[in-house]
Amino acid sequence: MVETTNLNECKKIAENLLNIRVEEQISYIPELISHPLFETPFITNQKTGKIINILDNEDNYNIAINQLKVKIKDCNNYKKLTQLITKPYKLAFFKLTIDYICMKDFCNNLIDSWVSDEYICENVNVSKAELLNYFKMASKKLLMNEEELNYFSKLEDEITVYRGVTNYNKNNLSALSWTLDKEIAKWFCERFNENGNIYKAIISKKDIFAYCNKRKEKELILDYTKLTNVQLLKE
């Protein structure tokens, strides 16, 4: 990993993503599009102050592209650059720029991508095995804020963790995300009006990558290959 982030190379990668054409997700919902840098087809033309639809014609599309090129150029650090990337593509951008970023940016972007994407382990651009490897590469101290680090330092060497799953993902126990709170696991297994399962397991503290409470879920991001004594608590 490089000592200092090569921001220029990261900007080139961001600009290359502009070559991907915007796609409508559903034809009868024009506001729903898929693109690494556009969340909506409606943007403000900076010269006229008017709202335009980039899907209406090529001129509008080019206006949007040129405005984003300026935004990319104006980014003075990696974090600001990643803020331009839409949530579903943050992890993909992270993967594309991994050879050009320092450990601090690596960890900050990894945890930001984790928190912003609820279904990150199902990301089509980055496999679960790759994600596991990224966390193995990361610095625990840089993945957690001061409050999280303090909480993590007080955990026992052997920890009981819980995971709530719905019928959709009931067999997905090879997961990086578990919680310290059984009630939170219960909420996850019952959301969407389902009656899912709660699992309990044991993990060694050394096999935990981070304690993450940014979503108030008392979440542990861990090496699922190291879980022991996995038990079904609720059917």
Side-chain angles (χ1 to χ4, degrees), residues 2 23 33 42 47 49 51 59 61 68 84 94 116 139 142 148 156 159-161 164 168 171 186:
V2 296
E23 294 182 6
I33 63 172
F42 302 106
K47 290 184 177 180
I51 303 295
D59 287 341
Y61 195 85
L68 265 173
L84 296 178
F94 170 77
S116 65
S139 163
L142 294 176
E148 290 166 339
E156 301 291 334
I159 301 161
T160 300
V161 293
Y168 170 75
N171 296 318
K186 184 174 183 290

Side-chain angles (χ1 to χ4, degrees), residues 129-147:
E130 286 176 305
L131 195 55
L132 176 62
N133 188 52
Y134 293 155
F135 276 106
K136 287 181 177 180
M137 294 167 60
S139 163
K140 291 183 180 182
K141 290 183 178 180
L142 294 176
L143 287 173
M144 293 179 271
N145 60 33
E146 186 176 350
E147 183 179 338

Side-chain angles (χ1 to χ4, degrees), residues 3 22 41 116 124 126 135 138 146 150 153 161 185 193 199 211 224:
E3 291 187 8
V22 173
S116 65
V124 297
V126 178
F135 276 106
E146 186 176 350
N150 184 52
S153 68
V161 293
N193 295 318
Y199 287 89
Y211 168 70
Y224 53 82

Side-chain angles (χ1 to χ4, degrees), residues 4-221:
T4 304
T5 294
N6 189 331
L7 189 58
N8 287 331
E9 287 299 326
C10 295
K11 286 182 178 182
K12 288 178 184 178
I13 292 170
E15 282 199 20
N16 284 337
L17 294 178
L18 290 172
N19 294 323
I20 300 173
R21 295 293 298 191
V22 173
E23 294 182 6
E24 288 183 279
Q25 293 285 73
I26 305 174
S27 60
Y28 54 84
I29 308 179
E31 295 84 3
L32 193 60
I33 63 172
S34 175
H35 193 271
L37 288 146
F38 292 108
E39 288 186 314
T40 170
F42 302 106
I43 65 141
T44 301
N45 184 327
Q46 298 299 325
K47 290 184 177 180
T48 66
K50 294 181 178 180
I51 303 295
I52 60 174
N53 186 337
I54 64 176
L55 299 178
D56 279 351
N57 54 64
E58 199 67 19
D59 287 341
N60 284 357
Y61 195 85
N62 289 331
I63 288 170
I65 293 294
N66 289 330
Q67 289 185 175
L68 265 173
K69 284 182 178 179
V70 173
K71 287 183 178 181
I72 291 170
K73 183 179 179 181
D74 289 345
C75 289
N76 58 10
N77 59 58
Y78 184 75
K79 183 175 179 64
K80 288 185 177 180
L81 186 61
T82 61
Q83 288 172 345
L84 296 178
I85 308 299
T86 57
K87 288 181 180 181
Y89 291 90
K90 283 186 180 295
L91 197 59
F93 184 70
F94 170 77
K95 181 178 180 177
L96 290 170
T97 57
I98 200 169
D99 291 333
Y100 305 106
I101 58 178
C102 66
M103 178 58 78
K104 182 179 179 181
D105 284 333
F106 177 94
C107 294
N108 286 344
N109 194 34
L110 179 58
I111 200 67
D112 285 347
S113 298
W114 177 270
V115 173
S116 65
D117 188 352
E118 184 178 357
Y119 302 103
I120 194 168
C121 290
E122 299 173 23
N123 193 292
V124 297
N125 298 299
V126 178
S127 69
K128 186 163 58 177
E130 286 176 305
L131 195 55
L132 176 62
N133 188 52
Y134 293 155
F135 276 106
K136 287 181 177 180
M137 294 167 60
S139 163
K140 291 183 180 182
K141 290 183 178 180
L142 294 176
L143 287 173
M144 293 179 271
N145 60 33
E146 186 176 350
E147 183 179 338
E148 290 166 339
L149 273 169
N150 184 52
Y151 191 97
F152 180 78
S153 68
K154 296 175 181 177
L155 293 177
E156 301 291 334
D157 291 336
E158 295 288 322
I159 301 161
T160 300
V161 293
Y162 304 90
R163 180 169 172 80
V165 294
T166 60
N167 290 328
Y168 170 75
N169 63 345
K170 64 182 179 180
N171 296 318
N172 185 21
L173 296 181
S174 298
L176 287 97
S177 178
W178 290 66
T179 179
L180 291 166
D181 193 327
K182 183 179 175 182
E183 289 303 309
I184 291 174
K186 184 174 183 290
W187 180 86
F188 273 101
C189 84
E190 292 178 348
R191 66 176 178 166
F192 310 129
N193 295 318
E194 291 205 32
N195 185 27
N197 297 333
I198 297 175
Y199 287 89
K200 172 184 176 182
I202 302 296
I203 189 78
S204 294
K205 186 176 182 178
K206 63 182 176 63
D207 296 316
I208 298 171
F209 304 121
Y211 168 70
C212 179
N213 201 36
K214 294 174 177 62
R215 294 181 290 209
K216 309 302 179 186
E217 295 172 357
K218 294 185 178 179
E219 180 182 26
L220 291 179
I221 306 170

